[in-house]
Structures are given as C-alpha cells and as structure tokens.
Amino acid sequence: MEFLVASAVGTMTAGGVYLLLRLRTFPVILGLALLSYAVNVFIFSSGRLAIDMSPILSKYGEASYTDPLPQALVLTAIVISFGMTAVLVMVSLGAFLEADTDSIDIDQTETDEDVAK
C-alpha cells in the first residue's frame, strides 16, 4: 500500500512539473493543480496509512486511531488550492482576452550583451 501511494505521489509530481514547464497557461494551471494534489496525498499519507480506524480515541475501545491533524491540514489545503485555482483561471482568462492567445511568450530581445553595452 505504501508503494502504491508513494508511486502515485511521484507520478503526480512528475506530471505537475512537466505541465508547469509548458508555454501555455491552461497546462500551467493544470500542473499547479496536479502538484497540489500530490502534496495533499503526501500530507495525508504522513498521518499513517490505516484502514478502518477512527480519527479519535474511543473511551472504552482499543488505543488504535488515525491521526486527525493531517486530515485537517489536507482539508484546509484543498480549500486554499481551489481558491488559488479560481484566481489563476481568472487571471489567465483576462490575459487571453487581452492578447488573443494563451501563449506565454518569453521575450528575449535584450540579451546580457545588449545590457552590458
């Protein structure tokens, strides 16, 4: 189970980094979302992967439980990443409407040699 979660986190991270390096705004937004999912799964798995355990201690039961702190952190991170994704979509939509393209142009008209002169 740990290998499956670790390989999922690695695959999502690799896909997110690949999409971040694209020169279009939509894949960059998808890459950021994929990276946030990878971080959420990593944080969630740091609380020990346990099946059929309650997140709180029972009064008369056994002492096995799942740590609730990573669950709360992941829930907060989901809300924050949803808000940031909405902001990025609106910024990229505004840039698309202004420039009529979603290409991220890296202007290389000024080089280091031109600046030195």
Side-chain angles (χ1 to χ4, degrees), residues 9-60:
V9 168
T11 303
M12 284 191 291
T13 302
V17 168
Y18 174 75
L19 288 173
L20 276 178
L21 297 175
R22 308 303 296 162
L23 291 178
R24 302 274 183 202
T25 56
F26 187 67
V28 169
I29 293 171
L30 287 179
L32 284 173
L34 205 56
L35 273 177
S36 70
Y37 293 147
V39 169
N40 288 343
V41 171
F42 176 73
I43 291 172
F44 188 74
S45 66
S46 71
R48 195 176 56 168
L49 297 172
I51 299 173
D52 293 334
M53 291 185 171
S54 62
I56 56 173
L57 288 172
S58 61
K59 188 172 184 179
Y60 301 109

Side-chain angles (χ1 to χ4, degrees), residues 26-105:
F26 187 67
V28 169
I29 293 171
L30 287 179
L32 284 173
L34 205 56
L35 273 177
S36 70
Y37 293 147
V39 169
N40 288 343
V41 171
F42 176 73
I43 291 172
F44 188 74
S45 66
S46 71
R48 195 176 56 168
L49 297 172
I51 299 173
D52 293 334
M53 291 185 171
S54 62
I56 56 173
L57 288 172
S58 61
K59 188 172 184 179
Y60 301 109
E62 18 183 278
S64 61
Y65 69 97
T66 304
D67 190 12
L69 183 63
Q71 296 174 14
L73 289 174
V74 167
L75 184 62
T76 304
I78 288 170
V79 171
I80 292 171
S81 67
F82 178 73
M84 286 306 299
T85 302
V87 167
L88 283 174
V89 166
M90 294 309 294
V91 167
S92 66
L93 182 63
F96 173 74
L97 293 175
E98 184 73 25
D100 291 330
T101 182
D102 69 337
S103 178
I104 301 171
D105 293 329

